[in-house]
Structure formats: C-alpha cells, structure tokens
C-alpha cells in the first residue's frame, strides 16, 4: 500500500467474555465483557483494550484512536502506535505499583520474618541476624535518612556501610557475617522490595559488589589454644558444684558448650558406657546423633548426681535460657580464678581484646589430647561431629605444655576423681607391643565408621580403649 492521504483506517470492535471473542452486536455477548479495538498498520495487527463495555463509549474512543491515523502515513502511524503502547505499559506499571508498593526499609525485618522462602535457624542464630539488621538500620537512618525504600539501597549505601564496619575493627568473620546477613535479607525479599540488584552481594568472577575479607589471613592470630592438662586440673580445683561437672563434661565429651550445658539424662547409657545426643548446631542440617564414649571420670562424676530433672545440670540450663552468655562467662571467670591468662597480644587492630582461651578451648583440649593419645581420627570425628580432616586439624594444637603433659594426668589428681585416665598415658612413638596391637585394631574398626551411626563399632572401640587406659 502506498503512503498517502485518505486511508480508511477505522478498525473493528469486539468483546472478550469468558475466554471468547464476540462482535459488539452479537446477542451472546451484548452488554458483557470489555470492548477491544483491532486495527492493522503496515501489516502489523494491533489490539488494544478500550476499558469499557459500553458500545457508545467504545465508539467515541475508537474515533479518538483512529482519527489521527486516517490522514497519517504508515510510518507516522507506527510511531504513534509505538508511543501509545509505551504509555499504556507505563500506565499499567504505575497502576500495579500503586496496588503493590515496594517495601520500605522500616518494614524489612517484619517482612523477612513472615517470608516463606527464608531459612529457619535456631534462636541463637536468629538473634545474630536480628542484631546485624538492627545495627544496619540504625546506621542507615542516621547517615542516609532520605533512603526510604529497600530498592533505593544501592552500591553507594552498601560500600559506605562496609567502610563503617571496617572502622569498627571487626574480625573478618564478624565483618563477613554482617554483610552476609544483609545479602540474605535482600535475596529473600528481592521481589517484594522490587529491587533491581542485591547491593550487598559479591560476585567473585566479575568482581562486582562488596567484597568479603579473608578469614584465613587472621585465623592463626585469633585462634584459641587448648587448655593444658595441668590448666584443666587447676580449673577443677577452683570450680564447685554444677560448673565443675560442666567442665568435666566438656573435657570428656568434646561437645560444644550448648550441648554440654543441655545434656539430658536420657542421652546417657550407663550400661553400655555411651552418650548418644543430637548436637544442636547440626541437628537441622544432618539430623544425625553422635555417640560419645562415657569415659570413667565423667561416669564417676555423674553417678551420685540427682536424676529427677530432665537435664543433668538443670540450674545451669535455667540460667543459660535466661542469659545465653552466662555459662561461657562463668567458665571464663574460673579460668581467671585458676590464674590462667585469657587474653593474648597480637599486632591486630581490634575494637576489643583477643581471647586466647575460653569455654571452647576445652573442646580443643579434647581433640588435641585424644589425637596425642593415639585415638584414631574417625572415632574423634564421630564424637565431636566434625566432617572433615581440615576441621580436625583446626582443633588440634600441640603446644609445649600439651607435649610435656603427654605422660598425662588428665583429671587424675582432681578431688574425688578415680585413678583411671580418660586417655592412654603413652605417645605414638613409645608403645608396648600389646598396646600397639590394640591401636591397630582401633584403626581397622575406625575404617568401618561412616556418616551413619554405628553403635556396635563404637562399643568395640570403647572396649579396646578401656584395655588401654
């Protein structure tokens, strides 16, 4: 068709009703459904809603749309049509945004808690997330009060907050934790926030976003050391009551503080000399319990205790539930009372002193002494719940004091403790022939331990250990 004047562009009207199309005068659709205008320009068919079911109104809108096209060239018609489509799309987007406003920053945390696509961590982890976001929100409202919506938090704000965290001299782990929390929150609420990017994310390949700090670069300087055998005995000399029992539980089981505090009587099998528990940290991830040999010192400590409560240490649990740091602070106070220095001097610039020892040091102590005593790594992993050799190596630190204590008296001289030691008084280089044979049997049995619980293998290894100690 040649371009020129007098083109007969009037288009045609039809209705849409329950998935069907009807002519405007069709009895089946009269008075029902929205009327649409259909016309063709340059071979391209265009259909647009007139947003009315009234024929009279539709006729007027038809003239408004088609009149400018009658005398226009096809090029002009296409240009006008394209503009009209853009305006229509913009109007639809604005209408959708009016009905679905983006999330405001002050609504973010409540929306996150209600989100169905977020993770469901334990109370302690969730508390950390809450604290991280609260600190960010307080900083944002103070530095960038003009930022109201989540989608308006961009690279500028994310980088400024990273600089703020740097100024606080946080450890690499804490620094990364803050940024990872915000990355997670933005990822969960991405659609509701109507965000176009995640400002806190880091793309290693493209080097875009906010980079994380290397944990390994400072891990050695920040790493806690294990307490020596002599230091553990000094702690037990000054500890009394349930906290003395808690220290023995930590040293003899290698469990994390929360699992030692909340040890239940139902987890202890005195007949088979086993403790079977589900570590809180890995409960949701693996759902697999661990079996821990019930060592003589711990068994002796527990025999005379009251078993009327669910927990072995009910009063400690009660204080722990009220104030989580209570147990770790109490153990730290016992470390200080025993004359052990808790801080160490480094060249790191930090906002607080770096701890050299603490409650977690007793877990290091268990792993280190167990390896020095010749207990195979697979059995130690089964007890502590570690899944890799790298983690085992992380927890093993052969200090001068530990090497000097190899002949060891772990808990051997403590008040009320039996003479039997939890680990063999031997080094790997000086084993008697009969002990060497026992260790070989332990190694064979340890190879049978898999990711699944294997009580029979544990029992066999426990029996051999009993012959060694």
């Amino acid at each position: 068709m040649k371009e020129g004047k007098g083109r007969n562009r009037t288009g045609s009207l039809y209705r849409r009703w329950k998935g069907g199309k009807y002519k405007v005068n069709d009895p089946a659709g009269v008075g029902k459904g929205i009327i649409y205008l259909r016309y063709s320009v340059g071979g391209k068919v265009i259909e647009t809603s007139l947003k009315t079911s009234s024929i009279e109104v539709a006729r007027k809108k038809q003239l408004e749309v088609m009149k400018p096209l009658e005398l226009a060239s096809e090029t002009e018609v296409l240009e006008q049509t394209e503009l009209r489509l853009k305006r229509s799309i913009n109007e639809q987007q604005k209408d959708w945004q009016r009905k679905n406003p983006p999330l405001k920053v002050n609504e973010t945390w409540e929306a996150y808690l209600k989100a169905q696509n977020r993770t469901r961590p334990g109370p302690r982890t969730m508390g950390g997330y809450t604290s991280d976001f609260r600190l960010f929100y307080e900083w944002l409202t103070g530095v960038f009060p003009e930022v109201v919506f989540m989608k308006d938090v961009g690279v500028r704000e994310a980088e400024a907050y990273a600089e703020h965290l740097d100024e606080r001299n946080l450890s690499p782990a804490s620094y990364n934790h803050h940024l990872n929390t915000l990355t997670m929150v933005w990822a969960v609420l991405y659609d509701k926030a109507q965000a176009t990017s995640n400002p806190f994310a880091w793309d290693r390949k493209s080097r875009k976003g906010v980079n994380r700090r290397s944990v390994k670069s400072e891990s050695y300087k920040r790493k806690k050391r294990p307490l020596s055998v002599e230091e553990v005995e000094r702690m037990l000399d000054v500890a009394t009551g349930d906290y003395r029992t808690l220290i023995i539980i930590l040293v003899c089981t290698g469990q994390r503080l929360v699992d030692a505090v909340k040890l239940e009587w139902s987890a202890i099998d005195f007949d088979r000399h086993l403790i079977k528990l589900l570590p809180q940290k890995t409960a949701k991830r693996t759902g697999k319990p661990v079996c821990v040999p019930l060592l003589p010192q711990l068994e002796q400590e527990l025999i005379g205790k009251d078993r009327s409560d669910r927990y072995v240490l009910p009063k400690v649990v009660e204080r722990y539930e009220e104030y989580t740091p209570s147990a770790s602070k109490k153990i730290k106070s016992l470390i200080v009372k025993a004359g052990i220095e808790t801080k160490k001097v480094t060249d790191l610039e930090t906002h607080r002193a770096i701890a050299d020892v603490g409650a977690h040091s007793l877990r290091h102590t268990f792993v280190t002494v167990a390896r020095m005593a010749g207990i195979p790594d697979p059995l130690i992993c089964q007890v502590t719940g570690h899944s890799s050799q790298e983690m085992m190596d992380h927890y093993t630190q052969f200090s001068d004091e530990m090497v000097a204590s190899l002949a060891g008296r772990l808990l051997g001289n403590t008040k009320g403790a039996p003479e039997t030691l939890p680990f063999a008084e031997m080094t790997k280089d000086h084993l008697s022939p009969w002990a060497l044979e026992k260790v070989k049997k332990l190694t064979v049995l340890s190879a049978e331990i898999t990711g699944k619980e294997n009580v029979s293998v544990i029992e066999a290894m426990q029996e051999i250990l009993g012959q060694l100690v």
Side-chain angles (χ1 to χ4, degrees), residues 249-260 263 275 277-279 290-292 359-360 362-363 366 380 382-385:
I249 292 174
L250 287 166
V251 175
C252 290
T253 66
Q255 298 305 299
R256 297 176 182 86
L257 181 59
V258 61
D259 298 313
L263 180 64
I275 301 175
L277 55 86
L278 186 62
V290 297
C291 283
V292 183
H360 206 68
L362 297 171
R363 182 165 162 87
F366 172 85
I380 302 175
Q382 179 81 1
V383 170
T384 61

Side-chain angles (χ1 to χ4, degrees), residues 302-315:
L302 297 178
I303 285 177
K305 294 189 74 69
D306 179 21
R307 303 185 191 182
S308 60
D309 196 273
R310 169 186 174 187
Y311 296 106
V312 175
L313 307 172
K315 292 182 179 179

